[in-house]
Amino acid sequence: LQHLKKNYPETTSYTTFIDLDEFVVVSDEYFLEKKESSSGKNGTRQEEGLTTTKSEYYYSSETSKQRPNHLFHLLQDFKSSILGDTCIHIPRILYSAAETPKEFRQRNLPDWIDTDQFDTLRYRYRTCKVKNANIGIGRAKAIIDASSLGLDDMLYDNGNCHRPLKRVCHLRNIYRRYSSIPLGIHHYLGSWESYSFRDDARKGTLRTYDKWFKNSNRTTGGADDEIRPWIVGFVQEFGTTLAQELLKDVGLAAHSKNSSGGGANTTNNQTDISNVLEWRTLNITQVRRGERRRQQRRERGK
């Protein structure tokens, strides 16, 4: 943030702190609840000050989601009403590794798009219902309007992705419902190969095969296509030729034999097996270390 403020003061705006398997989207649930509440279908309490210069449901339409910068325009339009703060906590929801039949996923898409390569198209099932989203995925993540930051705000840099700057990122909305604001974050569990590919410091503790497997087939929250319109808008914006070039290696690991970069000729099954063994070994090592530390503390306490 300091780098952006110093080197790009005129163009710096919203900066978010999310992982590569997370995507900011328009929350259809927010607009659905708002519509049902206004028509008296349920008693959902809505936030105050919901005013926008466009039709209330404009941003949740497929047409809007296909347009460039639609998220930025939504932020601008809603900032004065419910988003407001310099630091906005965006609720997250987890998508499992359960798959919809490919012929269904491919509907209305160009033949050259392989939905197996896109987590956002391949995985449509939520692991939990919207009302329980904060239980199923955990704390919200932050998006910060860097143009509103002062130098004093950035002195408090001992935060994390949930509260990058503790001076402006408050605790009150860190466990908010997925449908509470017009934005949401999709967090994709992905295949075991993609889940275990990153050299993550949490290997053997929080990111284990057993942890992945536990969530991989959950479909409690049902399937949705909330994020799907992006791909059509992308092709429209860049044209077929350039879109094909930009997307040709999406979802392919560097070592994949299908990747244009070449690499080792290792099958996915072999990779999966070796990763399972590696991560389970790491997990066992961590457990044993923990047992040794607990035993040492017990002995010191005698």
Side-chain angles (χ1 to χ4, degrees), residues 252-299:
L252 298 178
H255 62 258
S256 171
K257 64 181 180 180
N258 295 320
S259 171
S260 61
N265 188 23
T266 305
T267 66
N268 290 348
N269 285 338
Q270 289 173 328
T271 304
D272 281 354
I273 292 169
S274 63
N275 281 328
V276 169
L277 293 174
E278 177 193 357
W279 280 43
R280 283 190 165 172
T281 300
L282 284 166
N283 193 39
I284 291 169
T285 302
Q286 291 285 345
V287 170
R288 288 175 177 170
R289 285 176 181 170
E291 290 174 347
R292 284 199 298 270
R293 285 195 293 269
R294 286 190 292 272
Q295 180 63 30
Q296 290 169 356
R297 285 197 294 270
R298 284 194 294 268
E299 292 175 353

Side-chain angles (χ1 to χ4, degrees), residues 112 234-235 237-248:
W112 57 268
F234 187 88
V235 176
E237 175 69 10
F238 292 101
T240 299
T241 302
L242 183 55
Q244 282 184 283
E245 178 63 24
L246 293 171
L247 298 175
K248 66 181 180 180

